[in-house]
Amino acid sequence: GAVVSQHPSRVICKSGTSVKIECRSLDFQATTMFWYRQFPKQSLMLMATSNEGSKATYEQGVEKDKFLINHASLTLSTLTVTSAHPEDSSFYICSAFGAGQGANTIYFGEGSWLTVV
Amino acid sequence: GENVEQHPSTLSVQEGDSAVIKCTYSDSASNYFPWYKQELGKGPQLIIDIRSNVGEKKDQRIAVTLNKTAKHFSLHITETQPEDSAVYFCAATANYGQNFVFGPGTRLSVLP
């Protein structure tokens, strides 16, 4: 199946700083990528939909100025958590959907654990 | 919009037994139903999917059945093994290529 790579897998940052998480589709072009947040023992919460070359669409309640999403190419989307606070600590997961060989559904990245201290 | 319910929330089975997880959806226009397995600390992995023009699909020990009339679909795992222990999510979408609506998940524990 298609491969989606997410980096870093774990990151610790100080409160008030910004951290960037990358999501790459390794063997297909991803016209659409999704960013989720997952709290322990809970389901996936969609934060935003990222379309290549256009602004991301954020879900209700998600601060677009805090969670900056950039989808500059067909294989890369980034999520930047700005001015991070301890309550932003969570498991962030990206997924990708794209046209091309092996990519006819949504595939997830490995997830990124963010700890804000 | 679409709403997906999933039952049970937790399921414990003995190794070798079968496990069944059921999901119901609300949007009759939904036509694609994937299942994902999520192990602790990892991203969800697609394990099987089914489209609305098919009633059943099987891949080794895993099968999915779809009842469009009743708007439910189920995941069946036979001959369960300890490595099947994980959280399983179902999803549904009527707009292929857009986001899927996920169920709340089922935590499956396979007891040796």
mmCIF file of all heavy atoms in Angstrom, chain A residues 48-77:
data_model
loop_
_atom_site.group_PDB
_atom_site.id
_atom_site.type_symbol
_atom_site.label_atom_id
_atom_site.label_comp_id
_atom_site.label_asym_id
_atom_site.label_seq_id
_atom_site.Cartn_x
_atom_site.Cartn_y
_atom_site.Cartn_z
ATOM 1 N N ALA A 48 -8.053 19.747 10.342
ATOM 2 C CA ALA A 48 -8.096 20.538 9.112
ATOM 3 C C ALA A 48 -7.837 19.655 7.909
ATOM 4 O O ALA A 48 -7.232 18.590 8.013
ATOM 5 C CB ALA A 48 -7.066 21.659 9.173
ATOM 6 N N THR A 49 -8.317 20.133 6.793
ATOM 7 C CA THR A 49 -8.085 19.496 5.499
ATOM 8 C C THR A 49 -7.164 20.400 4.697
ATOM 9 O O THR A 49 -7.428 21.599 4.550
ATOM 10 C CB THR A 49 -9.398 19.298 4.738
ATOM 11 O OG1 THR A 49 -10.263 18.466 5.532
ATOM 12 C CG2 THR A 49 -9.145 18.633 3.395
ATOM 13 N N SER A 50 -6.102 19.814 4.194
ATOM 14 C CA SER A 50 -5.086 20.564 3.487
ATOM 15 C C SER A 50 -5.092 20.178 2.011
ATOM 16 O O SER A 50 -4.933 19.010 1.681
ATOM 17 C CB SER A 50 -3.722 20.238 4.115
ATOM 18 O OG SER A 50 -2.656 20.729 3.354
ATOM 19 N N ASN A 51 -5.305 21.143 1.152
ATOM 20 C CA ASN A 51 -5.287 20.913 -0.286
ATOM 21 C C ASN A 51 -4.076 21.596 -0.900
ATOM 22 O O ASN A 51 -3.804 22.762 -0.598
ATOM 23 C CB ASN A 51 -6.565 21.437 -0.934
ATOM 24 C CG ASN A 51 -7.785 20.655 -0.511
ATOM 25 O OD1 ASN A 51 -7.894 19.458 -0.750
ATOM 26 N ND2 ASN A 51 -8.706 21.314 0.150
ATOM 27 N N GLU A 52 -3.401 20.878 -1.745
ATOM 28 C CA GLU A 52 -2.181 21.391 -2.351
ATOM 29 C C GLU A 52 -2.454 22.700 -3.079
ATOM 30 O O GLU A 52 -3.371 22.790 -3.896
ATOM 31 C CB GLU A 52 -1.594 20.346 -3.298
ATOM 32 C CG GLU A 52 -0.237 20.724 -3.871
ATOM 33 C CD GLU A 52 -0.348 21.433 -5.207
ATOM 34 O OE1 GLU A 52 -1.362 21.264 -5.892
ATOM 35 O OE2 GLU A 52 0.595 22.164 -5.556
ATOM 36 N N GLY A 53 -1.678 23.704 -2.737
ATOM 37 C CA GLY A 53 -1.753 24.979 -3.422
ATOM 38 C C GLY A 53 -2.843 25.912 -2.960
ATOM 39 O O GLY A 53 -3.013 27.000 -3.519
ATOM 40 N N SER A 54 -3.596 25.512 -1.967
ATOM 41 C CA SER A 54 -4.652 26.399 -1.474
ATOM 42 C C SER A 54 -4.663 26.413 0.044
ATOM 43 O O SER A 54 -3.962 25.623 0.681
ATOM 44 C CB SER A 54 -6.017 25.970 -2.023
ATOM 45 O OG SER A 54 -6.348 24.671 -1.554
ATOM 46 N N LYS A 55 -5.466 27.291 0.599
ATOM 47 C CA LYS A 55 -5.530 27.391 2.055
ATOM 48 C C LYS A 55 -6.229 26.179 2.646
ATOM 49 O O LYS A 55 -7.142 25.606 2.051
ATOM 50 C CB LYS A 55 -6.279 28.658 2.449
ATOM 51 C CG LYS A 55 -5.530 29.947 2.144
ATOM 52 C CD LYS A 55 -6.315 31.151 2.648
ATOM 53 C CE LYS A 55 -5.527 32.438 2.383
ATOM 54 N NZ LYS A 55 -6.273 33.640 2.873
ATOM 55 N N ALA A 56 -5.794 25.833 3.836
ATOM 56 C CA ALA A 56 -6.404 24.700 4.519
ATOM 57 C C ALA A 56 -7.804 25.053 5.012
ATOM 58 O O ALA A 56 -8.109 26.216 5.283
ATOM 59 C CB ALA A 56 -5.535 24.276 5.695
ATOM 60 N N THR A 57 -8.623 24.053 5.113
ATOM 61 C CA THR A 57 -9.973 24.218 5.667
ATOM 62 C C THR A 57 -9.977 23.666 7.075
ATOM 63 O O THR A 57 -9.718 22.475 7.273
ATOM 64 C CB THR A 57 -11.004 23.458 4.811
ATOM 65 O OG1 THR A 57 -10.949 23.944 3.474
ATOM 66 C CG2 THR A 57 -12.403 23.665 5.372
ATOM 67 N N TYR A 58 -10.250 24.524 8.035
ATOM 68 C CA TYR A 58 -10.194 24.118 9.437
ATOM 69 C C TYR A 58 -11.565 23.713 9.959
ATOM 70 O O TYR A 58 -12.591 24.281 9.579
ATOM 71 C CB TYR A 58 -9.642 25.262 10.283
ATOM 72 C CG TYR A 58 -8.176 25.532 10.046
ATOM 73 C CD1 TYR A 58 -7.743 26.294 8.961
ATOM 74 C CD2 TYR A 58 -7.212 25.004 10.901
ATOM 75 C CE1 TYR A 58 -6.396 26.523 8.739
ATOM 76 C CE2 TYR A 58 -5.859 25.242 10.694
ATOM 77 C CZ TYR A 58 -5.457 26.001 9.608
ATOM 78 O OH TYR A 58 -4.113 26.215 9.389
ATOM 79 N N GLU A 59 -11.566 22.742 10.842
ATOM 80 C CA GLU A 59 -12.802 22.329 11.499
ATOM 81 C C GLU A 59 -13.187 23.363 12.559
ATOM 82 O O GLU A 59 -12.342 24.116 13.065
ATOM 83 C CB GLU A 59 -12.630 20.951 12.125
ATOM 84 C CG GLU A 59 -12.380 19.849 11.115
ATOM 85 C CD GLU A 59 -13.515 19.675 10.139
ATOM 86 O OE1 GLU A 59 -14.670 19.418 10.593
ATOM 87 O OE2 GLU A 59 -13.282 19.814 8.924
ATOM 88 N N GLN A 60 -14.445 23.367 12.862
ATOM 89 C CA GLN A 60 -14.942 24.322 13.857
ATOM 90 C C GLN A 60 -14.225 24.118 15.182
ATOM 91 O O GLN A 60 -14.074 22.977 15.642
ATOM 92 C CB GLN A 60 -16.464 24.131 14.032
ATOM 93 C CG GLN A 60 -17.120 25.209 14.858
ATOM 94 C CD GLN A 60 -18.633 25.057 14.868
ATOM 95 O OE1 GLN A 60 -19.180 24.066 14.414
ATOM 96 N NE2 GLN A 60 -19.321 26.071 15.384
ATOM 97 N N GLY A 61 -13.797 25.202 15.758
ATOM 98 C CA GLY A 61 -13.130 25.139 17.056
ATOM 99 C C GLY A 61 -11.629 25.024 16.978
ATOM 100 O O GLY A 61 -10.947 25.109 18.002
ATOM 101 N N VAL A 62 -11.093 24.834 15.801
ATOM 102 C CA VAL A 62 -9.637 24.734 15.639
ATOM 103 C C VAL A 62 -9.092 26.102 15.229
ATOM 104 O O VAL A 62 -9.543 26.680 14.235
ATOM 105 C CB VAL A 62 -9.267 23.681 14.577
ATOM 106 C CG1 VAL A 62 -7.759 23.620 14.385
ATOM 107 C CG2 VAL A 62 -9.810 22.317 14.976
ATOM 108 N N GLU A 63 -8.148 26.612 15.995
ATOM 109 C CA GLU A 63 -7.601 27.943 15.726
ATOM 110 C C GLU A 63 -6.601 27.890 14.570
ATOM 111 O O GLU A 63 -5.521 27.320 14.682
ATOM 112 C CB GLU A 63 -6.895 28.472 16.972
ATOM 113 C CG GLU A 63 -7.783 28.595 18.195
ATOM 114 C CD GLU A 63 -6.988 29.044 19.403
ATOM 115 O OE1 GLU A 63 -6.377 30.135 19.338
ATOM 116 O OE2 GLU A 63 -6.950 28.307 20.407
ATOM 117 N N LYS A 64 -6.958 28.519 13.478
ATOM 118 C CA LYS A 64 -6.100 28.467 12.294
ATOM 119 C C LYS A 64 -4.805 29.245 12.496
ATOM 120 O O LYS A 64 -3.792 28.947 11.853
ATOM 121 C CB LYS A 64 -6.840 28.977 11.063
ATOM 122 C CG LYS A 64 -7.297 30.414 11.160
ATOM 123 C CD LYS A 64 -8.017 30.823 9.877
ATOM 124 C CE LYS A 64 -8.456 32.281 9.933
ATOM 125 N NZ LYS A 64 -9.170 32.674 8.684
ATOM 126 N N ASP A 65 -4.819 30.238 13.368
ATOM 127 C CA ASP A 65 -3.600 31.007 13.609
ATOM 128 C C ASP A 65 -2.648 30.275 14.543
ATOM 129 O O ASP A 65 -1.467 30.609 14.620
ATOM 130 C CB ASP A 65 -3.952 32.373 14.195
ATOM 131 C CG ASP A 65 -4.715 33.233 13.207
ATOM 132 O OD1 ASP A 65 -4.485 33.069 11.986
ATOM 133 O OD2 ASP A 65 -5.537 34.052 13.640
ATOM 134 N N LYS A 66 -3.171 29.310 15.249
ATOM 135 C CA LYS A 66 -2.336 28.542 16.159
ATOM 136 C C LYS A 66 -1.780 27.295 15.476
ATOM 137 O O LYS A 66 -0.646 26.890 15.710
ATOM 138 C CB LYS A 66 -3.128 28.124 17.387
ATOM 139 C CG LYS A 66 -2.305 27.327 18.388
ATOM 140 C CD LYS A 66 -3.020 27.183 19.702
ATOM 141 C CE LYS A 66 -2.121 26.488 20.700
ATOM 142 N NZ LYS A 66 -0.905 27.285 20.991
ATOM 143 N N PHE A 67 -2.604 26.693 14.662
ATOM 144 C CA PHE A 67 -2.207 25.481 13.948
ATOM 145 C C PHE A 67 -2.094 25.823 12.458
ATOM 146 O O PHE A 67 -3.057 25.721 11.708
ATOM 147 C CB PHE A 67 -3.225 24.365 14.178
ATOM 148 C CG PHE A 67 -3.369 23.956 15.612
ATOM 149 C CD1 PHE A 67 -4.416 24.440 16.393
ATOM 150 C CD2 PHE A 67 -2.443 23.095 16.196
ATOM 151 C CE1 PHE A 67 -4.547 24.059 17.724
ATOM 152 C CE2 PHE A 67 -2.567 22.715 17.522
ATOM 153 C CZ PHE A 67 -3.617 23.194 18.290
ATOM 154 N N LEU A 68 -0.893 26.213 12.076
ATOM 155 C CA LEU A 68 -0.652 26.641 10.705
ATOM 156 C C LEU A 68 -0.379 25.432 9.819
ATOM 157 O O LEU A 68 0.478 24.614 10.126
ATOM 158 C CB LEU A 68 0.544 27.604 10.657
ATOM 159 C CG LEU A 68 0.419 28.884 11.489
ATOM 160 C CD1 LEU A 68 1.682 29.718 11.354
ATOM 161 C CD2 LEU A 68 -0.805 29.677 11.087
ATOM 162 N N ILE A 69 -1.117 25.360 8.735
ATOM 163 C CA ILE A 69 -0.951 24.223 7.821
ATOM 164 C C ILE A 69 -0.535 24.745 6.461
ATOM 165 O O ILE A 69 -1.140 25.671 5.917
ATOM 166 C CB ILE A 69 -2.250 23.413 7.729
ATOM 167 C CG1 ILE A 69 -2.503 22.696 9.065
ATOM 168 C CG2 ILE A 69 -2.178 22.403 6.578
ATOM 169 C CD1 ILE A 69 -3.840 22.019 9.156
ATOM 170 N N ASN A 70 0.498 24.110 5.928
ATOM 171 C CA ASN A 70 0.995 24.471 4.604
ATOM 172 C C ASN A 70 1.105 23.222 3.760
ATOM 173 O O ASN A 70 1.634 22.202 4.202
ATOM 174 C CB ASN A 70 2.372 25.142 4.725
ATOM 175 C CG ASN A 70 2.887 25.608 3.386
ATOM 176 O OD1 ASN A 70 3.463 24.831 2.638
ATOM 177 N ND2 ASN A 70 2.660 26.864 3.080
ATOM 178 N N HIS A 71 0.585 23.286 2.551
ATOM 179 C CA HIS A 71 0.625 22.127 1.642
ATOM 180 C C HIS A 71 1.228 22.617 0.339
ATOM 181 O O HIS A 71 0.534 22.823 -0.653
ATOM 182 C CB HIS A 71 -0.804 21.604 1.440
ATOM 183 C CG HIS A 71 -0.883 20.252 0.819
ATOM 184 N ND1 HIS A 71 -1.968 19.433 1.020
ATOM 185 C CD2 HIS A 71 -0.039 19.581 0.023
ATOM 186 C CE1 HIS A 71 -1.781 18.307 0.358
ATOM 187 N NE2 HIS A 71 -0.624 18.375 -0.253
ATOM 188 N N ALA A 72 2.531 22.818 0.375
ATOM 189 C CA ALA A 72 3.209 23.495 -0.716
ATOM 190 C C ALA A 72 3.450 22.610 -1.933
ATOM 191 O O ALA A 72 3.655 23.119 -3.037
ATOM 192 C CB ALA A 72 4.543 24.058 -0.221
ATOM 193 N N SER A 73 3.445 21.303 -1.738
ATOM 194 C CA SER A 73 3.684 20.413 -2.866
ATOM 195 C C SER A 73 2.754 19.220 -2.768
ATOM 196 O O SER A 73 2.060 19.040 -1.771
ATOM 197 C CB SER A 73 5.132 19.935 -2.875
ATOM 198 O OG SER A 73 5.341 18.935 -1.895
ATOM 199 N N LEU A 74 2.743 18.414 -3.790
ATOM 200 C CA LEU A 74 1.857 17.252 -3.816
ATOM 201 C C LEU A 74 2.334 16.119 -2.922
ATOM 202 O O LEU A 74 1.658 15.103 -2.810
ATOM 203 C CB LEU A 74 1.709 16.746 -5.250
ATOM 204 C CG LEU A 74 0.838 17.610 -6.166
ATOM 205 C CD1 LEU A 74 0.926 17.132 -7.602
ATOM 206 C CD2 LEU A 74 -0.618 17.577 -5.701
ATOM 207 N N THR A 75 3.489 16.277 -2.295
ATOM 208 C CA THR A 75 3.997 15.221 -1.428
ATOM 209 C C THR A 75 4.295 15.691 -0.016
ATOM 210 O O THR A 75 4.769 14.906 0.806
ATOM 211 C CB THR A 75 5.290 14.604 -2.012
ATOM 212 O OG1 THR A 75 6.269 15.634 -2.136
ATOM 213 C CG2 THR A 75 5.029 13.964 -3.370
ATOM 214 N N LEU A 76 4.020 16.947 0.302
ATOM 215 C CA LEU A 76 4.389 17.457 1.614
ATOM 216 C C LEU A 76 3.352 18.422 2.160
ATOM 217 O O LEU A 76 2.949 19.372 1.505
ATOM 218 C CB LEU A 76 5.748 18.163 1.550
ATOM 219 C CG LEU A 76 6.208 18.882 2.829
ATOM 220 C CD1 LEU A 76 6.422 17.882 3.957
ATOM 221 C CD2 LEU A 76 7.465 19.685 2.563
ATOM 222 N N SER A 77 2.933 18.153 3.381
ATOM 223 C CA SER A 77 2.121 19.088 4.141
ATOM 224 C C SER A 77 2.765 19.246 5.510
ATOM 225 O O SER A 77 3.325 18.291 6.050
ATOM 226 C CB SER A 77 0.686 18.564 4.303
ATOM 227 O OG SER A 77 -0.077 19.444 5.108
#
